[in-house]
């Protein structure tokens, strides 16, 4: 392929065009096909408020046109005609069966995470005694074998394969219980059938292409040619040039480029021509897709690309043609990148806490250009007044980060990008600093640095506390600070929890997580506390912020007041990962998100140690705040294994939620015994750190969703998922974690009748004493814990041996007298130990 | 006095309105009457005399007969696709169907009449790719009609005409957006359904009304001559009650992969009013068939592949 830059349009001598009268393809004279665009109206909403149903309807119309205009086929029937039509699965198959057609082709697109994109085809089939069986009459598999390869080639995306539908959904086992197809359209159609998934409407790149009218021609073309080959008919020769036009600087698809071949034109979609229907932001959506057909197969052509904002480009090529080959072998793919003719601009200048409060040494200043820049020229161009030495890092080819280490606190600075110095990396055009449309002009911006941080981290909130008792016997105690704490200052024994009545310490582990710039300390109790008892939480001094400011010691108390749990059933502990749950984008109910930053998945970093958790579900979300109706449905299908755990009206549904303090809202969604969708109240995410959220199904409010009625009926409830929505003024992007989804049965508190046991002191030996480097403890019972307290009462060392003897190293313990509290299964014994060095 | 009369009149009037809006029959708890191990039965249909039920199995393959209680199962044919769109003869002795035979990679339709007593079948139309409709009984069972070459064609059924005082009920067959009936050559064309298809046409017992579905638009009712067309919303697979006014339908919900719910409804074809007959998550109820006396109905339950009987009260 010869690529040349031409300033003017010339040379059309080698162009030949065919007219629109196609040679008829024969061989289908008495053949009837039923095309079924899946779903209806705006069902299965994809990204940008463009649904699967809308897309596949147009693919079906294009395919019908191809059959009717290019073949002698007797009839092409469509299950639905317009976006307003409503038709059930049974109506589709009843109609096809009534018409007595020869083939049923169901057209779909797929849903999943934002990066998934591939084709998939499924024919009616199952496994029988180790072999895969296709339904009778056969034909779906043969068509699928061709289509799944052809469609992925034409769409230039991955291919997941052609499957017997029951194998795809229920696995390639030796023998399926149900010896019939899985999908309704395969199962109840009398004729050969196939269902195809043409890419993902949840993939941003794919979905922006899906919106293009001629993209549907491409998918229809692939299905058309594959079907002809399936019927043993050689597809007609075609002449098509198609491709994606991108910006050479940033690689993004370009809107509004006119593509010309002789007298034929196509223009890539623009905000005005298309995207305004799906976005309020000009420039947000782009696909760069063009398609020019009805050219002479094999001809030499010149393809001219022109746009007001880009340098023109002309490419010569010979049109591909291989009638017997795949569709991709008959499409002349021509992807081009165009070079902007506009000088670069500063797109944005930002700092973590704003330009009015830059923290020296902490917050770099970020300058983003709208085009890739020559790095050396940009660094040369940037100066600061008053003058201080500055250094740089590049985030990418268009974003420079100015380090602020040398800036003074509480000062004002002016940064300047000098006139005609910083230039574009591709064309060498200078920065248009004054934004007048031509090169040149300096760019300036001011910043103010913050006052110096000399304040230690402040404890903002803690839970449980004097006024809010712990309703859980094994609480996750959380303490939220006003700033980030240096992780190295969070020692494993920085927090201790002591029962006030007897001084006994609670077992637990300390965790630290930074949520939206604020540190949360967790104390995960790892053994049940005693109900109705009061505990003191002590936080040692020495927690430091990133500037080294250290906290004083602090303590608070709380009481445990739990309604006892008499039964607990885990629905999903996420310890084995996240399985069964859909990606947020896969649900048609999800809308108004920034898909690139929205995802769900497994996490092992943030877990609720109180329940011994080793895994959680992490949900990243990003709201498009200018869209209407921001909503995420994190869906758990009723067929998921987790939903073998059914619950009822007497239960309490619970889940630990790591709040981000964003002000967004989430709720539980369940299906009751009548298969109606019923929801909990919306819980506002106004906390940071782990919190157990409970929905008492008998006492708390119930809200209807979709077919629900706001009443929990029947039994055998199941979890449908977790819903999240944006609240006005809330944070637009964040991460939540979920752990230990379960239901419990509670009963009123019953005071204990037994008394605390005291260990038989004679049965416990501790030696040597005095001890220098180690001490050994032996008992006849299992040792649950050993705690060392100095004479000030501070816990200095604690361990849980879970054995009858233990040897404890004393090298980190200062010399002196200690009280050693030894708890065995028989009770507690306290002994004195003299540590010498 | 005048005021009292007025109040009495208004009360009676209100009662009449209330009665006219009342649900004429109620559903009751369904009872499973036909099931089989590794079998999925569907599309039950009462015989006109109410003594038998015909039904098919997975893939619409074959036709079975049982008595009214779901006992004494007999398979009268194993023909492919015979179970889709079959119909009883007026004398309840034969079933008409459109089986398919596959020759190489081509499908050919047949029209066959099955004698349920002898088990013999009679081929009415040999292998063809020209058939445009499901076949229907005509002329008091003496003829069989179907659409071919865009016209109604008839064949001798081989049965003797049923001696009946009642007038022969004309049957309608769909051809695109039009209906053609066995009563005459006139075509009833519905311009508002241009490019669409009419299907699942059901004629009322007295032959004066029809209900049918149109793809994308739902269920419609009209007089036998096509007049007084009325939309009945999105229900399907209608079966007439003997009063020629009400129909039992199913209201289907799906997720694009499978049917997730199907509730039985009673619909007044005159007012369009709907009354639920069966709305229970244990049932995905399809293909209801009302018994000739209107006292009960049968339906297929997609959840377990069994046929259920539901008395109406």
């Amino acid at each position: 392929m010869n690529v040349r830059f031409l300033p003017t349009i010339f040379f059309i001598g080698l162009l030949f065009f065919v007219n629109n009268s196609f040679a008829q393809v024969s061989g289908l004279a008495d053949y009837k096909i039923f095309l079924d665009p899946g779903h209806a109206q705006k069902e299965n909403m994809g990204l940008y408020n463009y649904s699967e149903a809308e897309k596949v309807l147009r693919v079906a119309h294009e395919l019908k046109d191809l059959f009717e205009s290019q073949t002698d086929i007797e009839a092409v029937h469509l299950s639905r005609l317009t976006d307003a039509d409503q038709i059930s699965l049974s109506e589709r198959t009843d109609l096809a069966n009534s018409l007595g057609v020869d083939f049923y082709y169901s057209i779909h697109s797929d849903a999943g995470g934002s990066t998934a994109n591939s084709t998939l085809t499924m024919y009616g089939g199952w496994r029988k005694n180790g072999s895969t069986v296709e339904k009778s009459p056969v034909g779906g598999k043969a068509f699928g074998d061709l289509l799944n390869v052809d469609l992925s080639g034409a769409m230039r995306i991955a291919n997941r394969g052609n499957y017997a539908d029951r194998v795809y959904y229920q696995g390639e086992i030796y023998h399926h219980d149900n010896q019939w197809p899985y999908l309704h359209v395969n199962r109840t159609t009398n004729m050969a059938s196939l269902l195809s998934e043409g890419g993902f409407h949840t993939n941003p790149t794919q979905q922006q292409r899906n919106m293009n009218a001629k993209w549907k021609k491409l998918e229809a073309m692939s299905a058309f040619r594959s079907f002809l080959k399936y019927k043993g008919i050689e597809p007609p020769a075609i002449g098509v040039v198609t491709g994606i036009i991108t910006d050479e600087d940033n690689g993004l698809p370009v809107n509004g480029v006119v593509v010309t071949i002789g007298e034929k034109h196509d223009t890539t979609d623009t905000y005005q021509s298309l995207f305004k229907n799906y976005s309020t932001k000009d420039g947000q959506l782009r696909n760069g897709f063009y398609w020019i057909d009805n050219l002479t197969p094999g001809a030499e052509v010149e393809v001219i690309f022109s746009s007001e904002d880009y340098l023109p480009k002309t490419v010569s090529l010979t049109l591909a043609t291989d009638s017997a080959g795949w569709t991709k072998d008959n499409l002349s793919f021509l992807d081009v990148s165009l070079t902007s003719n506009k000088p670069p601009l500063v797109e944005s200048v930002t700092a973590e806490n704003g330009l009015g409060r830059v923290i020296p040494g902490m917050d770099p200043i970020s300058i983003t250009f709208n085009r890739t820049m020559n790095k050396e020229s940009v660094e040369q161009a940037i100066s600061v007044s008053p003058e201080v030495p500055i250094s740089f890092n590049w985030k990418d080819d268009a974003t420079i980060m100015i380090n602020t280490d040398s800036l003074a606190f509480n000062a004002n600075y002016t940064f300047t990008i000098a006139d005609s110095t910083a230039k574009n990396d591709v064309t060498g055009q200078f920065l248009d600093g004054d934004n007048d449309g031509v090169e040149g002009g300096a760019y300036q911006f001011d910043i103010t640095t913050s006052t110096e941080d000399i304040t230690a981290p402040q404890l903002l909130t803690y839970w449980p506390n004097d006024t809010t008792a712990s309703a859980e016997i094994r609480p996750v105690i959380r303490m939220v600070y006003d700033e980030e704490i240096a992780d190295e200052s969070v020692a494993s024994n920085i927090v201790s929890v002591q029962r006030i009545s007897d001084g006994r310490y609670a077992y637990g582990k300390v965790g630290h997580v930074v949520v939206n710039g604020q540190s949360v300390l967790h104390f995960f109790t790892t053994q049940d506390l005693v109900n109705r008892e009061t505990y003191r939480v002590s936080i040692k001094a020495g927690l430091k912020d990133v500037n080294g400011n250290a906290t004083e010691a602090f303590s608070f108390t709380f009481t445990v007041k739990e309604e006892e749990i008499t039964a607990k059933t885990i629905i999903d502990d996420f310890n084995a990962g996240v399985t069964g749950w859909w990606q947020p984008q896969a649900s048609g109910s999800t809308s108004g998100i920034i898909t690139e930053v929205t995802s769900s998945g497994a996490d092992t970093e943030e877990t609720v140690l109180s329940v011994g958790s080793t895994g959680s579900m992490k949900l990243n979300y990003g709201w498009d705040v200018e869209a209407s109706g921001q909503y995420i449905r994190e869906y758990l299908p009723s067929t998921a294994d987790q939903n073998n755990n059914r619950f009822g009206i007497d239960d309490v549904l619970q889940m630990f939620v790591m709040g981000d303090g964003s002000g967004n809202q989430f709720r539980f969604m369940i299906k009751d015994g009548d298969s109606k969708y019923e929801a909990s109240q919306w819980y506002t995410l106004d906390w940071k750190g782990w919190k157990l959220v409970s929905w008492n199904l008998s006492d708390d409010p119930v809200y209807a969703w979709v077919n629900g009625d706001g009443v929990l009926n029947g039994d055998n409830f199941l979890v449908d998922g977790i819903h999240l929505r944006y609240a006005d003024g809330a944070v637009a992007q964040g991460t939540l974690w979920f752990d230990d989804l379960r239901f419990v049965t509670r009963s009123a508190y019953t005071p204990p009748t037994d008394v605390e046991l005291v260990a038989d002191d004679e049965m416990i030996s501790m030696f040597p004493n005095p001890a220098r480097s180690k001490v050994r403890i032996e008992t006849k019972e299992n040792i649950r814990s050993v705690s060392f307290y100095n004479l000030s009462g501070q816990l200095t060392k604690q361990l849980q041996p879970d054995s009858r003897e233990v040897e404890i190293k004393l090298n980190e313990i200062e010399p002196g007298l200690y009280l050693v509290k030894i708890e065995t299964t028989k009770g507690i014994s306290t002994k004195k130990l003299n540590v010498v060095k | 006095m005048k005021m009292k009369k007025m109040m009495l009149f208004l009360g009676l009037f209100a009662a009449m309105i209330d009665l006219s809006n009342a649900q004429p029959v109620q559903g009751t708890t369904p009872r499973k009457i036909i099931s089989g191990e590794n079998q999925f039965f569907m599309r039950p249909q009462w015989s006109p005399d109410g003594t038998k039920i015909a039904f098919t199995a997975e893939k619409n393959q074959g036709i079975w007969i049982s008595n009214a209680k779901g006992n004494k199962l007999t398979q009268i044919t194993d023909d492919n696709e015979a179970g889709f769109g079959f119909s009883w003869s007026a004398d309840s002795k034969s079933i008409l169907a459109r089986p398919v035979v596959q020759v190489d990679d081509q499908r050919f339709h047949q029209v066959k009449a099955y004698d349920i007593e002898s088990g013999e079948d009679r081929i009415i139309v040999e292998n063809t790719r020209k058939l445009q409709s499901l076949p229907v009984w005509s002329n008091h069972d003496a003829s069989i009609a179907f659409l071919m070459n865009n016209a109604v064609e008839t064949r001798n059924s081989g049965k003797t005409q049923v001696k009946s005082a009642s007038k022969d009920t004309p049957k309608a067959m769909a051809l695109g957006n039009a209906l053609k009936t066995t009563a005459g050559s006139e075509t009833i064309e519905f311009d508002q359904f241009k490019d669409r298809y009419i299907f699942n046409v059901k004629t009322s017992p007295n032959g004066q009304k029809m209900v049918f579905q149109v793809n994308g638009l739902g269920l419609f009712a009209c007089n036998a001559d096509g007049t007084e067309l009325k939309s009945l919303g999105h229900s399907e697979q209608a079966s007439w009650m003997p009063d020629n006014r009400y129909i039992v339908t199913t209201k289907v919900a799906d997720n694009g992969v499978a049917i997730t719910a199907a509730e039985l409804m009673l619909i007044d074809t005159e007012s369009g009013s709907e009354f639920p007959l069966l709305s229970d998550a244990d049932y995905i109820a399809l293909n209801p068939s009302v018994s000739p006396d209107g006292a009960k109905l049968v339906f297929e339950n997609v959840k377990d592949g069994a046929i259920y009987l539901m008395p109406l009260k």
Side-chain angles (χ1 to χ4, degrees), chain A residues 248-299:
Chain A
E248 187 166 8
D249 283 298
N250 55 28
L252 293 174
V254 182
N255 291 344
V257 177
V258 179
V259 186
T260 305
I261 303 175
E263 294 177 352
K264 292 180 177 293
H265 306 275
D266 191 20
T267 303
T268 61
D269 292 325
T270 65
Y271 183 73
Q272 283 304 322
S273 70
L274 176 71
F275 298 129
K276 66 182 178 186
N277 300 321
Y278 308 103
S279 172
T280 55
K281 286 178 280 189
D282 190 358
Q284 181 200 11
L285 302 179
R286 47 189 72 230
N287 57 49
F289 178 76
Y290 72 96
W291 170 279
I292 296 180
D293 56 12
N294 291 349
L295 302 170
T296 303

Side-chain angles (χ1 to χ4, degrees), chain A residues 330-393:
Chain A
N330 291 273
L331 299 178
S332 299
F333 291 113
L334 180 59
D335 296 336
V336 298
S337 58
L338 298 184
T339 305
S340 173
N341 58 18
K342 306 285 188 202
L345 294 167
V346 172
E347 200 167 77
S348 64
V349 180
T350 58
E352 176 77 21
N353 294 295
L355 297 180
R357 191 175 174 273
V358 175
I359 303 172
M362 292 287 295
D363 298 343
I365 299 163
S366 171
I367 305 174
T368 301
F369 301 91
N370 70 338
R371 300 181 60 185
T372 57
M373 299 298 286
N374 177 288
K375 293 177 181 174
E376 189 180 352
S377 70
V378 174
E379 292 179 14
Q380 277 178 358
I382 297 177
S383 61
V384 59
S385 175
E387 191 173 347
V388 290
I390 49 176
S391 59
F392 308 98
N393 295 102

Side-chain angles (χ1 to χ4, degrees), chain A residues 28 120 176 201 216 236 250 261 299 303 360 430 447 483 656 658 711:
Chain A
L28 297 174
L120 168 73
H176 285 122
H201 51 265
K216 285 99 170 182
N250 55 28
I261 303 175
V303 189
F430 288 118
I447 68 150
E483 61 179 318
F656 286 96
M658 168 89 86
V711 178

Side-chain angles (χ1 to χ4, degrees), chain A residues 30 85 88 90 97 190, chain B residues 40 60 98 129 196-197 236:
Chain A
D30 64 351
D85 285 5
S88 71
S90 44
N97 289 340
N190 288 339
Chain B
F40 198 100
N60 297 307
R98 184 191 64 177
R129 289 181 58 81
R196 297 182 186 273
Y197 305 98
E236 54 193 276

Side-chain angles (χ1 to χ4, degrees), chain B residues 89-165:
Chain B
S89 61
D91 65 2
S92 298
K93 291 180 179 175
S94 300
I95 285 179
L96 181 63
R98 184 191 64 177
V100 165
V101 291
Q102 191 88 7
V103 180
D104 298 326
D105 65 343
Q106 279 202 304
R107 289 158 50 79
F108 292 88
H109 287 118
Q110 295 178 329
V111 175
K112 272 187 176 181
Y114 302 90
D115 185 314
I116 65 166
E117 289 171 358
S118 69
E120 292 177 355
D121 60 53
R122 176 188 171 93
I123 298 178
I124 310 298
V125 178
E126 290 282 5
N127 292 7
T128 178
R129 289 181 58 81
K130 300 290 184 189
L131 209 58
Q132 292 175 300
S133 72
L134 290 157
V136 294
W137 296 99
S138 176
N139 190 23
H140 294 284
D141 288 356
S143 303
I144 287 166
F146 47 85
L147 296 178
M148 199 178 267
N149 301 316
N150 297 327
V152 177
E153 293 201 14
T154 57
R155 298 282 190 280
N156 189 337
S157 71
K159 289 171 70 72
T160 51
Q161 206 170 44
V162 177
K163 290 178 182 172
S164 167

Side-chain angles (χ1 to χ4, degrees), chain A residues 496-751:
Chain A
S496 60
V497 177
Q498 189 176 24
R499 185 170 157 186
I500 287 179
S501 62
D502 63 359
R504 291 171 65 178
Y505 283 83
Y507 300 133
K509 294 175 181 171
V510 174
H512 173 223
V513 60
V514 180
V515 181
N516 285 341
Q518 295 182 327
S519 273
V520 181
L521 290 190
H522 288 115
F523 184 85
F524 297 101
T525 52
T526 53
Q527 244 180 14
D528 290 349
L529 304 184
V530 179
N531 215 349
R532 268 54 183 178
E533 286 283 340
T534 300
Y535 288 80
R536 173 175 289 108
V537 180
S538 300
I539 310 165
K540 288 182 180 177
L543 289 170
K544 294 176 181 173
D545 66 17
V546 292
N547 294 314
N549 302 302
T551 59
E552 300 290 327
F554 183 79
S555 68
F556 60 90
T557 60
F558 71 90
T559 303
V560 179
K561 290 182 180 175
E562 189 201 40
E563 280 186 62
E564 289 177 16
I565 293 174
T566 54
K568 179 165 76 174
T569 303
I570 300 294
I571 298 170
D572 199 338
D573 59 16
F574 304 106
N575 287 342
V578 174
T579 55
W581 296 81
W582 284 19
Q583 285 294 317
Q585 295 90 339
S587 168
S589 303
T590 295
S591 63
I593 61 167
I594 301 170
T595 190
E596 293 86 346
V597 299
T598 303
S599 64
S600 61
D603 187 69
T604 55
E605 294 292 318
E606 303 301 335
T607 63
V608 178
L609 303 178
S610 292
V611 293
S613 172
T614 57
S616 64
M617 180 166 71
K618 182 179 182 179
L619 176 65
N620 299 309
Y621 66 89
W623 302 123
D624 179 356
V625 296
E626 293 180 18
S628 59
Q630 297 87 350
Y631 203 92
I632 284 175
R633 181 190 187 198
E634 180 64 35
Y635 173 54
L636 181 67
S638 57
T639 52
D641 288 345
Q642 295 94 320
N643 273 325
N644 292 329
N645 301 296
R646 303 296 178 100
F647 48 97
I649 191 70
D650 295 327
D651 292 314
V652 179
L653 192 62
Q654 297 185 318
M655 183 169 56
F656 286 96
V657 180
M658 168 89 86
D660 61 357
S662 62
N664 292 301
Q665 295 178 314
F666 95 97
R667 66 178 178 181
F668 296 104
M669 183 62 63
I670 66 173
K671 287 176 89 171
D672 70 7
D674 289 349
S675 283
K676 289 194 162 66
Y677 294 97
E678 311 291 359
S680 68
Q681 67 178 81
W682 284 103
Y683 303 97
T684 300
L685 291 158
D686 54 6
W687 71 92
K688 290 180 176 173
W690 284 113
K691 176 180 178 180
L692 183 65
V693 181
S694 300
W695 179 18
N696 188 325
L697 298 175
S698 58
D699 295 343
D700 293 341
V702 179
Y703 296 89
W705 188 62
V706 187
N707 68 345
D709 56 10
V711 178
L712 296 176
N713 297 308
D715 49 19
N716 288 324
F717 302 170
L718 56 89
V719 171
D720 182 74
I722 302 159
H723 291 198
L724 192 66
R725 74 177 180 185
Y726 173 70
D728 284 344
V731 176
Q733 191 170 327
T735 302
L736 302 172
W737 282 263
F738 302 96
D739 205 352
D740 223 39
L741 176 59
R742 65 201 194 187
F743 60 88
V744 301
T745 308
R746 290 188 181 279
S747 65
Y749 170 68
T750 309

Side-chain angles (χ1 to χ4, degrees), chain A residues 140-296:
Chain A
K141 179 180 185 305
F143 176 38
D145 282 344
L146 292 165
L147 179 62
N148 85 94
V149 175
D150 196 278
L151 192 57
S152 74
M155 294 177 73
R156 295 191 282 177
I157 60 176
N159 168 19
R160 295 211 319 282
N162 180 36
Y163 290 86
D165 53 7
R166 194 167 288 280
V167 173
Y168 183 82
Y169 284 101
Q170 297 186 330
E172 192 169 7
I173 60 176
Y174 184 75
H175 190 87
H176 285 122
D177 289 340
N178 291 336
Q179 296 282 292
W180 50 74
Y182 184 89
L183 296 167
H184 181 92
V185 293
N186 284 329
R187 180 178 175 184
T188 60
T189 45
N190 288 339
M191 61 294 306
S193 61
L194 184 77
L195 182 147
S196 70
E197 303 273 11
F200 279 58
H201 51 265
T202 49
N203 179 292
T205 302
Q206 183 60 60
Q207 181 70 338
Q208 288 171 74
R209 292 175 186 174
N210 288 342
M211 293 174 177
N212 180 280
K214 292 180 179 174
W215 179 268
K216 285 99 170 182
K217 273 193 170 185
L218 179 148
E219 292 192 28
M221 179 71 77
S222 172
F224 173 65
R225 298 179 71 85
S226 299
F227 199 85
L228 293 182
K229 287 168 80 172
Y230 155 65
K231 291 299 296 173
I233 301 166
E234 183 166 314
I238 55 172
V240 178
V241 180
T242 184
I244 306 292
I245 303 167
T246 54
D247 182 304
E248 187 166 8
D249 283 298
N250 55 28
L252 293 174
V254 182
N255 291 344
V257 177
V258 179
V259 186
T260 305
I261 303 175
E263 294 177 352
K264 292 180 177 293
H265 306 275
D266 191 20
T267 303
T268 61
D269 292 325
T270 65
Y271 183 73
Q272 283 304 322
S273 70
L274 176 71
F275 298 129
K276 66 182 178 186
N277 300 321
Y278 308 103
S279 172
T280 55
K281 286 178 280 189
D282 190 358
Q284 181 200 11
L285 302 179
R286 47 189 72 230
N287 57 49
F289 178 76
Y290 72 96
W291 170 279
I292 296 180
D293 56 12
N294 291 349
L295 302 170
T296 303

